[in-house]
Amino acid sequence: MSYILGIESSCDETAAAVVRSGEQLVSNVVASQFATHQPYGGVVPELASREHLRAIVPVVRQALAEAQQTYESVDALAVTQGPGLTGSLLVGISYAKALSYALGKPLVAVNHLEGHIHAVLLEERQKGNHVVNFPVLALVVSGGHTHLYLAEQRGSAWVYQNIGHTRDDAAGEAFDKVAKLLGLGYPGGPVIDRLSAHGRPSAVKFSIAQIKHPDRNDPNKPSTGLPRFDFSYSGIKTAVLRHVETHGMKPAIAARQAALRGITKPKLEDYLANCDRETLDLVSSFQRSVVQDLVSKTLAAARDYNVETLFVTGGVAANNELRQQFELQAAKAGLPVYFPTRPLSTDNAAMIAAAAYPKFLAKDFAAMDFSAESGMSLR
Ligand code: KG4
Ligand code: ZN
């Protein structure tokens, strides 16, 4: 049995967790910076780094205490190397390096996106499900990413091929921006998720860009001849803005913003009391369009690449309608689909410790001079 202490600080959550042998979650602590960034309507990188500095030591101590472990008793450390905000990543990396050096323990550097994929695997193993049929198609859908990866296993390691990504905004980013422009605060995903059930999803018609050709962002790369399934969500955000303008919704939005600002932690009833039918319909129609696009493109990719299993992970995987639609459509296609539980869908360190386990077994340790890679890709 080996215990890995994972540390995650790529964006706005300071997190630490202990995972046993890649399959048992022993502790999972997440300090959210929600209150710090909320007044700005989005993550402020400078403030995020400062908050990580404040939180990292107590969060790690708490994760060890809850796991009944100590700095000395864990077998290895794991930390997110990227992608993410450089200043935020550096806090976790510097602390993990210092611990590794002082304790003489190996350190594993983990790609945050691989972490999201391993969150699914960790929980399936914990439930006793050790059978994963390859190839796996993983949709990583969060505030920073909307990526489709084909995953295969080589030995104990996983290898990845990207077959689609967003050309502009990530899906979570679109949820956040639409919520902000409707005066619903930050982060937008969870609010839109809960409000959508109270509106009519077919009230407003949106169309989302359909892109199915070689990646124009990478003209120097030879085409593989294989189809790509790219996403684009900046158009729908603009369409929501246009709807707001043409339907004269701005005064109601300003009133809502002012009312919600006066409530420390608004509840569903507070949002509902400040949303008219038109807003609820708009929110619900926006969510329906994004969900349909994510589900239909992922299932089309699954068909084209003959995959055996679907993983859906990342912050937006917490969305109720997304889960329901994936379950429905995947069942129709005869494909098993797995999600992490909601606490492991959004950023956490358990996924980092879990993804580190195969690298720990392979003794794939980080050299002490590695640094943050804000645009790190997954291979
Ligand atoms: O994975 P995550 O915690 O951080 C990143 O790596 O980006 O994802 C955060 C994103 C935010 O954009 C947030 O609005 C979105 O996930 N999100 C949701 C839901 N919960 C979080 N989006 C839709 N529905 C939700 N229930
Ligand atoms: Zn994430």
Side-chain angles (χ1 to χ4, degrees):
M1 275 200 300
S2 38
Y3 289 84
I4 299 185
L5 168 66
I7 297 173
E8 149 68 35
S9 68
S10 67
C11 190
D12 58 344
E13 331 266 10
T14 319
V18 176
V19 172
R20 186 170 65 226
S21 305
E23 59 179 48
Q24 283 295 323
L25 177 58
V26 197
S27 68
N28 185 32
V29 179
V30 181
S32 167
Q33 300 180 1
F34 168 78
T36 305
H37 303 291
Q38 195 196 22
Y40 303 94
V43 178
V44 183
E46 297 269 310
L47 295 181
S49 319
R50 204 184 301 165
E51 288 302 306
H52 285 306
L53 272 174
R54 240 194 280 271
I56 192 122
V57 175
V59 163
V60 167
R61 282 195 185 140
Q62 191 183 337
L64 286 171
E66 286 182 13
Q68 298 183 331
Q69 293 288 316
T70 61
Y71 288 117
E72 288 75 25
S73 68
V74 294
D75 297 282
L77 305 151
V79 69
T80 307
Q81 182 176 9
L85 301 169
T86 306
S88 292
L89 288 163
L90 281 173
V91 176
I93 292 173
S94 309
Y95 188 52
K97 276 188 187 176
L99 284 179
S100 162
Y101 184 72
L103 300 167
K105 308 265 180 195
L107 174 60
V108 180
V110 175
N111 184 307
H112 180 84
L113 300 171
E114 183 168 30
H116 275 302
I117 293 171
H118 278 257
V120 181
L121 211 58
L122 164 65
E123 294 195 301
E124 286 308 311
R125 290 193 174 139
Q126 191 153 332
K127 281 189 255 171
N129 177 12
H130 290 263
V131 185
V132 176
N133 293 319
F134 289 91
V136 168
L137 180 64
L139 171 67
V140 184
V141 59
S142 68
H145 302 93
T146 307
H147 281 33
L148 274 173
Y149 291 102
L150 266 187
E152 299 270 6
Q153 206 171 16
R154 286 210 199 115
S156 67
W158 283 49
V159 288
Y160 305 91
Q161 185 191 350
N162 181 274
I163 60 158
H165 62 77
T166 180
R167 295 292 180 90
D168 38 58
D169 291 354
E173 192 179 351
F175 273 89
D176 294 338
K177 286 178 175 169
V178 164
K180 190 175 176 182
L181 80 88
L182 293 176
L184 293 168
Y186 166 86
V191 182
I192 291 184
D193 188 355
R194 286 185 296 158
L195 289 180
S196 285
H198 298 267
R200 291 172 303 162
S202 51
V204 186
K205 298 271 171 276
F206 291 115
S207 60
I208 293 185
Q210 301 303 311
I211 310 160
K212 197 177 171 187
H213 53 76
D215 193 344
R216 71 176 151 85
N217 288 337
D218 215 346
N220 302 322
K221 231 176 167 181
S223 168
T224 55
L226 293 170
R228 291 188 57 82
F229 294 84
D230 285 347
F231 305 88
S232 166
Y233 296 114
S234 76
I236 190 167
K237 171 198 67 190
T238 311
V240 173
L241 177 62
R242 193 135 311 137
H243 185 97
V244 163
E245 286 166 353
T246 54
H247 289 72
M249 294 171 76
K250 287 203 166 165
I253 291 172
R256 173 161 54 245
Q257 228 161 5
L260 291 174
R261 207 177 290 135
I263 308 171
T264 318
K265 263 201 159 181
K267 296 192 183 66
L268 178 61
E269 306 85 77
D270 300 317
Y271 287 110
L272 286 172
N274 286 288
C275 284
D276 50 16
R277 185 159 180 87
E278 196 176 17
T279 304
L280 293 173
D281 284 349
L282 185 57
V283 156
S284 185
S285 303
F286 160 79
Q287 177 174 289
R288 170 64 53 89
S289 300
V290 173
V291 164
Q292 276 182 345
D293 186 68
L294 287 167
V295 174
S296 65
K297 282 181 184 154
T298 305
L299 280 152
R303 268 193 305 277
D304 272 22
Y305 284 90
N306 266 320
V307 307
E308 296 285 336
T309 309
L310 280 181
F311 281 14
V312 182
T313 185
V316 182
N319 185 273
N320 285 297
E321 190 174 354
L322 187 79
R323 285 178 181 241
Q324 281 162 11
Q325 285 304 317
F326 259 115
E327 264 158 14
L328 203 75
Q329 302 301 333
K332 277 191 195 158
L335 274 175
V337 58
Y338 301 107
F339 309 89
T341 56
R342 283 180 178 75
L344 289 205
S345 295
T346 45
D347 287 351
N348 65 86
M351 67 187 201
I352 302 303
Y357 186 62
K359 297 184 204 304
F360 170 76
L361 291 179
K363 296 196 174 6
D364 181 5
F365 301 134
M368 269 298 164
D369 61 354
F370 87 98
S371 193
E373 231 185 276
S374 64
M376 193 175 186
S377 58
L378 179 60
R379 280 182 211 101

